[in-house]
Amino acid sequence: QVQLVESGGGLVEVGESLRLSCAASGSIFNIGLMGWFRQAPGNQRELVATITSTGNTTYGDSVKGRFTASRDNAKNTVYLQMNSLKPEDTAVYYCNVNVYGRSWSKNYWGQGTQVTVSS
């Protein structure tokens, strides 16, 4: 069993910053790709950022230059630093983690954390 616990969401004003965290725990041998997705009401879930085990990152076009993904492999944790937040960043943010056991692999989603940017 693997659990993902997200934290760091909240209500901020335009231009402010937030940092999301997602910690994985349980029967983990290794963790591969980690990422963040978001879903606003009425919209499909969209990619925000991914980060490989060696730190290579990719970003959705709408967040490039403002958001930064990072990870601490020793803590099995992925972070999302969000700067210069805009009202259109308002969404539920989900982490996504690829977990490897000694003989299995599985993709997990976090429970989601609400980010609201007010104007």
Side-chain angles (χ1 to χ4, degrees), residues 76-96:
N76 292 332
T77 300
V78 61
Y79 305 95
L80 185 68
Q81 177 67 42
M82 304 185 293
N83 298 329
S84 301
L85 282 161
K86 304 175 181 180
E88 51 265 41
D89 295 319
T90 295
V92 178
Y93 284 70
Y94 299 91
C95 65
N96 182 267

Side-chain angles (χ1 to χ4, degrees), residues 21-71:
S21 299
C22 174
S25 63
S27 301
I28 298 170
F29 180 71
N30 199 7
I31 293 181
L33 189 69
M34 308 178 87
W36 292 93
F37 292 75
R38 67 186 182 186
Q39 187 167 19
N43 291 354
Q44 291 186 335
R45 191 169 295 190
E46 65 172 352
L47 170 71
V48 176
T50 63
I51 182 167
T52 68
S53 59
T54 55
N56 293 317
T57 54
T58 61
Y59 297 95
D61 288 340
S62 61
V63 306
K64 284 180 181 177
R66 299 187 298 121
F67 290 11
T68 302
S70 61
R71 61 191 283 171

Side-chain angles (χ1 to χ4, degrees), residues 87-108:
E88 51 265 41
D89 295 319
T90 295
V92 178
Y93 284 70
Y94 299 91
C95 65
N96 182 267
V97 176
N98 292 289
V99 178
Y100 298 89
R102 291 191 178 273
S103 60
W104 54 268
S105 64
K106 188 173 179 180
N107 182 265
Y108 290 89

